[in-house]
Each structure stands twice: as C-alpha cells, then as structure tokens.
C-alpha cells in the first residue's frame, strides 16, 4: 500500500465519493422511499442497519485474508507482513464499529417491532458471536502491543473466524427464527425502497473503504514513527 | 516413529504429574459438581422442567470445567517456563499440539463421567438415546480440546490469559454448545423437534475442519 | 554429536521493547571449541542475547545462523543442536529428577537409557535425591537438575545464563571444569557470568555488552577476563 | 492513624496495579458476560420465563465472577511471594484483612454494574423494587468479599487453591445466594410469596456476624 | 532503629518435611554488630534456617527469640525489627521501583519520604529506571529493587538469602560494603553465601550447616571463611 501522498490522495477521493453517496442515500431514504405501512418512520433504521451489517461481514472477511497474508509472509517479507498487519487492525476496528451500529440499531428497532430489545434468535446470535470474536481480536492486539507473537495469535484467530462464522451460521440457521430475510427472499418490492436500500448499502461500503484505508495508513505511519524512534535510540542510546 | 515416542512421552508426563498431584481432575470434577449444585439451587423452583434445562446445564458445566482444566494444564507448562523446553526441543510443533490436545481430551472425558452421573441423578433425567448422548459429548469434547489447546498454548505467556482464553474461544465454541444442547435434549427425551443426526454430523464436520486448521496454525503461530 | 563442527553466527541482531533497544546490531561468530563468556553490567542485555541465540526470542532485526559442518542448519536440526539453561530452569517441578532427565532425553530424540541417566545424576550430585520431585529441591539442587538436562540433550551448542547461580563452591568448580571439558571435546559453549574468577578459569573468549551493544570482543583466560571486567568498572553501583 | 495509612496504602496499591493492567475488572466483567450469554443459550427455550430464572442467573454470575476476581487478586500477592511482604511487615493482620476485603468489594461492585445491565436488557427484566434489588446485591457482595478474602489468603499457597477455594467457601455462601435469589425475585416482580425484608435482615445479620468472625480468624489463622 | 541493641536467638530449632528433618536442633545467638554468614552445601538447610529466623516458616520444635535492648519482643515489634530478602524477592512486579519503595515504607510504619526514596534509588543504581515497572527489569535489576526494600524498612535485623545473586561485580562490591557499614552502625545481618571471597570480606562470624545440623560456629574474616569452606569441601560435586 502506498503510504505517501498517493495513499492519502486515494483516501481523499474515496472520502469525497463516500460523502456524496451518503448524501444521495440519505435523500433517497428520507424523501424518496415511502413510509412503511405498519412501522412508520422507525422502519428507516432498516437502511442503516442492513448496510452496516453487510459491510461488517465484508470487513471481517478482509481481516481474515490479511491475517493469512500476515502469517504466510512473516518469515519472508517484513514489509508485506507489516502492511497485512495494518490492514488487519484497520478492518477489525472498522468492522467492530459497524457491528456496534448493528447492535444499537437492531435492538432499537426490535423494541418497536417485536416489543423486546433482544431475543435469542439465530440471526441475532450469529451477529453477536461474530462481533465478540473480533472484539477478542482487538483485545489480543491491545494486550499484545507490538509483540510479534501476539500479532500472530490475533492473525490466527481471524483466520479461524472464517470457518467459525460458517459454523455459527449453519448452527443458527438450523434452528429457524424471527429475524426478517426480506432482501434475500426477494421481498422489498417497492422500487423506492429498493433504490434507497441499494444506495445506502453502497454508501456504507464507500464509508467502510475510506475508514479502512485511512486507519491502515495511520497504522503504517505509527509503524514508521516507531521505526524512527528506534533509529534515534539506536544511534544515540 | 521418533515423533510417536515424543508424543507418548509428552502425554505420559502429563499423566504422571496428574497421577501424583491429582490436581486437574479434582479441580475439574469438584468445580463441575459445585456448578451443578449451585445450578440446582438457583433453578430449583420447578423440578418438573428438568428436561428443559438439564441439557443446558450439562453443556455449560462441560464448557467451564474444560476451560478450567485447560488453564491448569498450561499453568503446569508455564511454571519454570517448561513449555519452552518443549518448543526448543527438536520435537515437531504438530506432535506437541496433538499431545497436549490428547491430554486435554482425556482429562475432560474423565471429568465428565462423575459430573454427568451427578446431573442425571440430581435432575432425574433418563437417557433414552445413549448413542446420541455419548456421541455428542465425545465430538463436542474433541472440539473443545482442539480449540482450547491451540489458544491456551498461544496465550500461555499473555498477561491476561485467563480472560483472553474464554474471550477468544467461546465465540468459536458457541455452535458446539448449541449443537450439543440440541442432541442432548433429544437424547434425554425432551419434547423438541430436532434431528440429532444432523447436529451430530455438524459436530463431526466442525471437528474435522478445526483439527486441520488448528494443527496447521499451531506451528505457524508459535514458532514465529 | 561429537565430531561435528558447528558455527553460531549472529549478524547485526536487533531486539527492541517498545521504542527502546535492548540489543543494538550485535554481531558475533563462535565455533566448536569456543567458550564465550558474555559479560556486562546488570541490564546490559546478556539474557536477551542468549535467548535470541537459543531461539527463545526472535530478533527484530538481523539474523542468527547456525552451520553444522559448513552447511546452514534450520528448524529441527537447529533445535537438536542447541540446548539452553536460562534463569527459569525449564524443568518440570512435579516430576522427579530422574523422570525429568528421561523425558528430556526422549524429547531430544534419543531412547531414554537408565544407565546413562543414573550416571548423569551421579555427576550432578543428585544421586541420593534422584527420586524426589524437583519442587522440593533447594535452589542449588534445582540448578543441578537443570544442568542434567543439558548433559542428556546431546546438543552441540550449550547456552547458559549465569549457570553457577545457587551452586555451592564444590559444585561451581565441578561445573566450570565440566564446561572446559565440553569445549575441549568440541562443543561450543556460551555463558554469562558476573564473576571474574569463573571467566578467568574457563573462558576462551570474552564479549562485553553495554546498553545492548558489543563494546569488547576479546580473548579469554586470566588476562582477557581482567581486561573485560576493567572495561565494565565504574558508574553507579 | 498508622493502621489507617497502611490500610490506604494497601488498597491504593491494588487499585494502581489494576489501573495499570486492568486485568481483574476485565476478567470479571468479560467472564460474567460470557456466563450470561452461555446461560442464555442454554436456557433459551422459553424466554417468557425470564423472571423465573433471571435472579438465579444474576446470583450464580456474581458468585462465580467474584470467585474469579478473588483468585486473581491473590495471584497478584502470590507472584514473587508478595503476600509475605505484607505478613512479615509490622502491619496488623486486621488491617491487611480489611484492606484486601475492601478491594475485593470494590472490584466486585464495579464488575456487577455492566453485568446487571446486560442481564436486565438481555432477559428483559424490569426492577420493580430497586431498593431491595440494590440492598440485596450490596449486602451479598459484602458477604462474598469477607468470606472469600479470608479463605483466599489462607489458601494462597495451597497447591489446589483453585478447587479448594470454592469448595470451602461455597457451602458457607449458599445461604447468601438463596437469600439473594429470593429478594431479587421479588425485586423483579416474579410471582413468589416471599418477604424481602426478612431476607434482607438475614443478609445483614450474616454480614455482621461474618465481619467479626473473619476479622478475628484472619489474624489467628495466618500468623500461626 | 539506630542506637538499639537487638539479639536474635534460635533455641534447638527443628524443622521437618514429611518424615525427614530439614533442621535438627539448630541453636544460634547473634546480636547487633554481628554479620553471620550462614554456609553449607546445596540442600544443607540455609534457606530454611533463614526463613525460620525471619518468621516466614514456623519451627516444628524449639523457638526463635528476639530481644530488643534486653527485653523480649513479640508480634508487631518483632516484625518491625526484622527484614528479609529471600530468593523470591517479595516486590510487586506491576509497581515501579519507586512505588514499591514508597509502599514498603508505609507498611513499615513510616510516612513515605520522596527525598529518601530518591536517594535509596540512587544508591541501588536504579535512578534511571525508577519509574519502570519491576516486571520489565533484568534479573540483577530486580535484585537491586528488592535490596531497596531493606534500605527503606528501618529494620534492625537484616536476613538475606544469597543476596549477591544476579548482581554484577560493581554491585556486589557495593552490597558487601553496605552490609559491613550496616553492621558497624549497629545492625545485625545474617546472610547465606556460596562465595568464600564474599564471606571473607565482610562476615564477622560463620555458621556451617550440614544436613540441617550446625557443624561449625566460628569466626569470620579471611581465616574464618577459609576454615568454613574447607569444612565443606569434598563429597559429590
Ligand atoms: C436485535 C438486534 C439485531 C441484530 C444483531 C441484527 C443483525 C442483523 C444482521 C447481522 C443482518 C445482516 C444479515 C446478512 O448479512 O445476511 C441483518 C439484516 C436485517 N435485519 Fe437485523 N438485526 C437485529 C434486529 C432487527 C430487527 C428488530 C429487524 C426488524 C424487525 C431487523 C431487520 C433486518 C432486515 C430486514 C435485514 C435485511 C436482511 C435480509 O433481508 O436478509 N433486524 N440484521
Ligand atoms: N519485556 C521487556 N520489556 C521491556 N524491557 C525489557 C524487557 N525485557 C528486558 N528488558 C530490558 O532490557 C534490558 C536488558 O535485559 P537483560 O535481561 O537482557 O539484561 P542482563 O544483561 O541479562 O542483566 P542481568 O545481569 O541483570 O541479568 C534491561 O534494561 C531490561 O529492563
Ligand atoms: N517443602 C519441602 N518439602 C520437602 N523437602 C524440602 C522442602 N523444602 C526444602 N526441603 C529440603 O530441605 C533441604 C534443605 O533445603 P534448603 O532450601 O533449606 O537448602 P539450602 O541450604 O538453602 O540449599 P541451597 O544452597 O541449594 O539453596 C533440602 O534437602 C530440600 O530438599
Ligand atoms: Mg540476565
Ligand atoms: Mg537456599
């Protein structure tokens, strides 16, 4: 990844695109998409809720890829490994942030739609587990500090996260549930709602990409600052 | 051949130490009994519903007790930095991993016997499908041992090992617990509409994929 | 194994903790027949250097190379050729001395041999206490048991961190004699020490560290030891 | 005055170390959250009965989390043999005991806050009698801290500390848990015919008697 | 406290482990101004004897008496008058060196005094590392931090188990000088050691243990040390 001006320039372009997409999505959500019949304005949560949820999954998938890259490249190339490491922490943090949005919007919506903040329902359980898994990733990173051993363990965890997510998904799907599946089941018939929905998903995707890129650049900078401090310590200490 | 001798030596060492101190098995067994008793007190309001919450209690107990056993097993390797004597020896990482996972599996199974007996008696449960009951426990215990061993070894020297271990492993193990509870519910004759075969196959798949994944990761993660 | 020639080389090894250096570009080459005394004030980096050489810590920069009969060894071969005695003795406190030795022989890839183990126990002065668990040993006895681990390992390179710690005077003399013998029979020994007399009596080379840097790489013997310790004199107590 | 300074120094030391590592609070909080989640899985068959098993889950969680916190708190004193630096100092045994019990109490209360929130939300419980709810938790936590501290200190150097501690303390603490569950059931509006006042007074009496007894025993037991 | 005279007496002290004796009828009397070197081969019982004298182990037979200015002390007074430096250093690894010293000063019943603590840190050579947590210290640095605990304790009796362990040569010389000074200013010091030179340089008395029995209670100085170590020579390594 470019860490000089190029990376930042890409970041600025992405940020601009994301901002535009967010404005478009907000417009479509609040002024074009119709008010839902039974839930009213509260249904607008849907567009943020689902967008965050999908992007959370994407972020965690990339995190696992970065983890695999880190473990494989570590003995061969310090540079590739530290870039993969930066991508790993960036995707995990952004993913957890998106997860937090899901975990706040979901229950708020649930209180209105189902009359309770939480039920032990498969989809909800799935997202909670995945969310916790990557919180564990962040905890590992936080306590490992810059220790390469701890980073390796965190990378391993993110890799195991993939089959983990698969098994959690299989497990929870086997026991049915109340969480809606309108999109995949071909619901969402109203064109206004459809447009708003896709716009919000794309906007969230752009926001996610921007945040990940910037966070990874920050991490690279931090790595470089550490290297500079070490260089000073090496020549003077 | 040499790897086999090393494997046997590591497992035997842990068994000898355990036979001498009886620490881990006693810890696990007593802890799980206390757990069962506390559960009994906390939920004893309605004994007729034992079949509903019995399977849950079984799996919660197995999960916690195996975590505790795992912690103690690796505390032993941590004292005097002993795990390093394994890692710095010419023994292969895969051998070390399989040996530790095997010990962990043996200890967990040994702990489960008295605990299950206690739960079945205390909560007055009858096992109507013993095959499914035992199968779920064995497959589940293998999963716990694999995931637990990988991360206990990794986190052995982490400052917050005791938090990090459950934090890291429980989300991965939740599907195992879910599947276990389902099969066990059917096995004790609870009126649930579940297909135990399906869940058992699920557990088998989990075991196979995680056996390969953990075995592979162990070497990569531990010898940087 | 007897008859082989090993060479251990550290090339600009760097080890950091946070933003400080513990080792700064440490280079060193030693071969069968050398007894290198690693010296330095408290906190100079001796333990860290020895750990890196033994493979217990991974260098953050530079590398460690072990060649056996001129060929670069890796992985299992390196570990089979190296044995370490660190501060934390790496022996199992709940096994007896005899069981520990048998176990470590197997790990090293040899079939445990009761006769050889008994003779080692005799040499380390634990014949009488061989069947007591190590936990009950006094400090010096534990040190002796850990020395036994090296004797059964069959390693070509011995790395010892302050190995005379806790040994009584007779034991210390015996150990220094043993190390000299090992070196004469073709082993490579690296040890740290704070005692001029120990260094004078057996070292063939001295290496003085100061704040993680090699400041002296000189000869052994009485003169070498005197020169090395003079180099370290002065400063705070 | 001197005793007070020593008391403050010991409590402050534990808080400083905790602030630096955040180990114990995180361990307790995360462990109890995991416990809650696992309970939820295990008992999720009938969410409408949350008021029945909610109080049980609250008290089991508090009991286990406080045991774990206690273990960690004394692990800290065990590293480098540190408790001996307290015991061999001229500080009075009573001062040491009260300081450690206070720290334990503080940690447990801090851990209870997020955990209770989680339980109330997850199980959708409403506290209809907040006074009784908080009163039972505070009095119960005092009891756990007193008994736990006494025996953790006693058992610190025992080989099987982690088993022995619950084995010794849980039988003493079961009445506290029962009383706590009763009061909490009433407090969350479960349809039980219990007088919370009575149980609260029981908890108060337990605390007072055990405060005197543990304080007295600590000095006698620890400096033989 | 300066100016007081203390006397420490062990009267036929017995200590057993299972069915074996560790100490057999050990008697000893020492007073302010004595520096008693407790000597013996590995496993002779030195650590056990020092622990009993410091109150860390309770004798299974016989008793230990401390008199202050001729009056028998008990409880708090005994503990205020005694300080011990055992193998396991009794310092908190997660506190900094400075925090450890302030804490131990308070425990000893004095108000912590920043100036005094700074000067102690300087004397033990940790001024530069005073605000790092002890866990990160090298072995010798930890030993120094533990010595600081004695310096702030104000105790009349110092009991040290192989106190020069891990110290570099300069530190060792400083410590032996310090102990001599303490003894001259009216403290009573008991220490174990395996080094003839250390004993010769500062001990005023030597006590040799063999299998838990006192076999020699002689003078200090070079001659006393030589006699004591000759007594221990021979036998297994
Ligand atoms: C209580 C916490 C909740 C959580 C943790 C949660 C989690 C999720 C997740 C992870 C997804 C993405 C699924 C995927 O990518 O396949 C999702 C999608 C969705 N959620 Fe939620 N949800 C919650 C509550 C709710 C509620 C109360 C409603 C509405 C009644 C709702 C409606 C939806 C809808 C309509 C989708 C689109 C998914 C599809 O159509 O397949 N969610 N939710
Ligand atoms: N984990 C760590 N984190 C931070 N600093 C560390 C760590 N380990 C070691 N250090 C620092 O590195 C330096 C060298 O430590 P090392 O243990 O190698 O010294 P040493 O030469 O063996 O000293 P000694 O003679 O006291 O044994 C010390 O200043 C120590 O504080
Ligand atoms: N807990 C115990 N159980 C059984 N035996 C013990 C125990 N503690 C010590 N011993 C035995 O008591 C004897 C004396 O031990 P101690 O530690 O006092 O020796 P020491 O003179 O300090 O030796 P060193 O010079 O090696 O430090 C040893 O033989 C030891 O094995
Ligand atoms: Mg060192
Ligand atoms: Mg000793």
């Amino acid at each position: 990844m470019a860490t000089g001006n190029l990376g930042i320039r890409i970041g600025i372009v992405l940020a601009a695109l994301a901002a535009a997409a967010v404005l478009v999505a907000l417009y479509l959500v609040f002024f074009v998409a119709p008010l839902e019949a039974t839930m009213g304005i509260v249904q607008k949560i849907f567009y943020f809720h689902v967008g965050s949820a999908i992007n959370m999954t994407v972020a965690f998938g990339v995190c696992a890829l970065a983890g695999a890259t880190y473990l494989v490249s570590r003995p061969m190339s310090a540079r590739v490994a530290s870039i993969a490491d930066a991508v790993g922490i960036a995707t995990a943090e952004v993913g957890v942030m998106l997860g937090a949005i899901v975990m706040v919007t979901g229950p708020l919506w649930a209180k209105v739609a189902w009359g309770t903040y939480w039920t032990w329902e498969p989809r909800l359980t799935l997202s909670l587990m995945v969310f916790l898994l990557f919180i564990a990733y962040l905890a590992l990173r936080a306590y490992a500090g810059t220790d390469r051993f701890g980073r390796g363990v965190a990378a391993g965890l993110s890799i195991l996260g993939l089959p983990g997510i698969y098994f959690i998904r299989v497990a929870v799907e086997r026991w049915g549930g109340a969480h809606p599946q309108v999109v995949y089941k071909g619901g969402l018939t109203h064109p206004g709602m459809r447009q708003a929905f896709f716009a919000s998903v794309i906007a969230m995707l752009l926001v996610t990409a921007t945040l990940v890129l910037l966070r990874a650049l920050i991490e690279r900078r931090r790595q470089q600052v550490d290297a500079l401090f070490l260089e000073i310590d090496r020549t003077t200490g | 051949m040499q790897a086999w001798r090393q494997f046997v030596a590591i497992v035997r060492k842990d068994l000898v130490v355990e036979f001498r101190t009886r620490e881990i098995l006693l810890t696990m067994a007593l802890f799980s009994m206390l757990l069962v008793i506390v559960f009994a007190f906390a939920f004893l309001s309605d004994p007729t519903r034992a079949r509903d919450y019995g399977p849950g209690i079984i799996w919660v107990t197995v999960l916690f007790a195996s975590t505790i056993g795992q912690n103690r097993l690796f505390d032993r390797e941590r004292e005097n930095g002993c795990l390093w004597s394994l890692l710095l020896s010419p023994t292969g990482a895969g051998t070390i991993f399989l040996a530790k996972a095997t010990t962990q599996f043996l200890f967990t199974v040994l702990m489960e016997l008295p605990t299950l007996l206690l739960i079945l008696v205390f909560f007055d449960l009858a096992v109507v499908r013993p095959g499914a009951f035992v199968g779920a426990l064995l497959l589940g215990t293998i999963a716990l041992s694999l995931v637990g061993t990988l991360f206990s070894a990794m986190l052995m020297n982490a400052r917050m090992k005791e938090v990090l271990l459950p934090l890291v492993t429980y989300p991965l193990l939740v599907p195992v617990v879910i599947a276990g509870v389902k099969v066990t519910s059917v096995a004790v004759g609870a009126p649930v509409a579940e297909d135990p075969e399906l869940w058992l196959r699920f557990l088998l798949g989990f075991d196979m994929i995680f056996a390969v994944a953990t075995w592979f990761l162990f070497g990569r993660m531990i010898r940087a | 194994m007897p008859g082989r020639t090993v060479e251990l080389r550290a090339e600009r090894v760097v080890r950091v903790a946070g933003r400080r250096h513990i080792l700064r570009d440490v280079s060193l080459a030693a071969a069968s027949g050398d007894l290198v005394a690693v010296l330095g004030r408290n906190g100079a980096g001796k333990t860290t250097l020895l750990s890196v050489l033994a493979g217990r810590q991974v260098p953050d920069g530079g590398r460690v190379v072990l060649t056996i009969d001129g060929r670069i060894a890796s992985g299992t071969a390196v570990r089979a050729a190296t044995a370490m005695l660190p501060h934390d003795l790496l022996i199992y406190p709940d096994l007896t001395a005899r069981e520990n030795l048998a176990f470590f022989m197997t790990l090293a890839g040899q079939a445990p041999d009761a006769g050889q183990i008994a003779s080692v126990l005799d040499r380390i002065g634990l014949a009488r206490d061989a069947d007591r668990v190590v936990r009950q040993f006094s400090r010096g006895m534990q040190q002796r048991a850990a020395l036994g681990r090296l004797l059964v390992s069959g390693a070509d390179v011995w790395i010892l961190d302050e190995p005379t710690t806790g040994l009584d005077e007779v034991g210390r003399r015996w150990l220094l004699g043993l190390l000299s013998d090992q070196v004469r029979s073709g082993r490579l020994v690296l040890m740290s020490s704070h005692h001029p007399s120990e260094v004078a009596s057996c070292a063939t080379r001295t290496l003085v560290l100061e704040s993680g840097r090699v400041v002296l790489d000189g000869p052994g013997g009485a003169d070498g030891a005197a020169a090395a310790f003079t180099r370290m004199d002065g400063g705070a107590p």
Side-chain angles (χ1 to χ4, degrees), chain C residues 129 132 135-141 166 168:
Chain C
D129 296 293
R132 290 175 59 202
R135 186 183 296 286
Q136 294 180 355
F137 281 6
S138 77
R139 183 188 218 184
M141 292 159 75
D168 57 33

Side-chain angles (χ1 to χ4, degrees), chain B residues 1 73 115 132 192:
Chain B
M1 181 53 211
L73 196 59
T115 310
V192 286

Side-chain angles (χ1 to χ4, degrees), chain C residues 17 20 22 40-49 87 161-162 194:
Chain C
R20 296 176 57 234
I22 302 182
R41 297 289 309 264
N42 288 141
K46 302 178 292 300
T47 299
T48 309
L49 175 60
H87 291 327
D161 198 3
E162 304 185 26
H194 287 302

Side-chain angles (χ1 to χ4, degrees), chain B residues 5-23:
Chain B
R5 265 213 315 265
Q6 291 164 333
F7 173 88
V8 172
I10 297 175
V11 172
R12 217 183 52 197
K13 161 191 77 75
D14 280 328
L15 295 182
V16 166
V17 171
E18 181 57 24
F19 184 77
R20 198 157 282 156
T21 63
R22 292 193 201 85
E23 238 182 339

Side-chain angles (χ1 to χ4, degrees), chain C residues 80-95:
Chain C
T82 330
M84 184 189 199
L85 174 68
H87 291 327
D88 49 353
L89 305 164
L90 313 195
I91 43 174
Y92 286 92
D94 288 307
L95 295 180

